[in-house]
Amino acid sequence: MIDIDVIGQLLPNPITMLTQLCSTLVLFLVIKKFLWKSITGMLDRRAEKMQEELTASEQARQQAQQDRENARQELKEAVTRSQTMIEKATVEAKSVREEIVRKAKTEADDQIIRARGQIEVERSQMQSEIHREMVEVAMSAAEKLIGEKSSEAGDRQA
């Protein structure tokens, strides 16, 4: 059978353990004496840098929030201005339309008045033409009945 010293394997050798503790203590003292200040300085600088970055990122976040609010406000103002412009344009378009309709109505009324005047002139011309034609027809009929030709001027005087 194999003879294995289990207890000897589980417990460390006290001289080896003492040597390892002494070497660890010497390493700790050397690190503390020569490297401790530079390591803590480096860690402090790193912490400061991280704090600065955190502060800068917080400021950037606040600035972004402020910019977002400004953009929202400007968008609201732009919407308000555009609505105002649309309302003004609508009112102006209505007034222009009303003006055009008013002018067209005035022109149409003027044309109707001119047409009526022209119709009256033509009617009076037609009536005078018809009256003249009737006089001529009456004179022709009278001439044929009387059989003699009399002058128009003489008949008109009588």
Side-chain angles (χ1 to χ4, degrees):
M1 238 190 29
I2 303 177
D3 191 20
I4 298 177
D5 184 21
V6 175
I7 294 189
Q9 293 291 330
L10 287 176
L11 295 175
N13 187 352
I15 294 175
T16 305
M17 198 163 93
L18 186 62
T19 308
Q20 287 178 346
L21 282 174
C22 286
S23 65
T24 303
L25 181 64
V26 168
L27 280 173
F28 178 74
L29 292 173
V30 168
I31 288 174
K32 186 172 180 183
K33 176 79 174 169
F34 297 110
L35 298 176
W36 189 254
K37 288 181 184 178
S38 63
I39 290 174
T40 55
M42 182 184 69
L43 291 175
D44 289 342
R45 286 191 306 273
R46 185 173 178 210
E48 287 174 8
K49 184 177 179 183
M50 291 174 77
Q51 186 61 39
E52 288 173 1
E53 289 176 358
L54 283 174
T55 305
S57 68
E58 181 62 26
Q59 288 175 349
R61 187 188 65 77
Q62 289 175 354
Q63 183 64 36
Q65 182 70 20
Q66 183 66 33
D67 290 345
R68 187 178 315 132
E69 289 300 320
N70 290 343
R72 283 183 186 156
Q73 186 65 28
E74 287 176 7
L75 179 62
K76 285 180 184 178
E77 290 173 3
V79 166
T80 304
R81 284 193 310 260
S82 65
Q83 287 175 346
T84 304
M85 290 171 63
I86 289 171
E87 289 172 3
K88 283 182 182 178
T90 303
V91 168
E92 187 175 325
K94 284 181 182 178
S95 68
V96 167
R97 180 177 154 257
E98 289 172 1
E99 180 68 23
I100 290 171
V101 167
R102 186 187 58 75
K103 283 183 180 179
K105 188 173 192 269
T106 304
E107 288 177 12
D109 290 344
D110 289 346
Q111 286 180 353
I112 289 171
I113 290 170
R114 276 188 260 128
R116 284 183 181 162
Q118 190 175 5
I119 288 171
E120 283 298 319
V121 168
E122 288 177 5
R123 179 181 288 156
S124 67
Q125 286 176 352
M126 290 288 282
Q127 283 178 348
S128 68
E129 182 69 28
I130 290 172
H131 182 57
R132 191 181 57 76
E133 287 285 329
M134 285 175 56
V135 169
E136 284 182 15
V137 168
M139 290 298 285
S140 291
E143 234 177 62
K144 283 186 181 179
L145 282 177
I146 296 177
E148 59 183 55
K149 202 168 189 170
S150 59
S151 73
E152 226 178 282
D155 287 341
R156 286 187 189 253
Q157 286 178 355

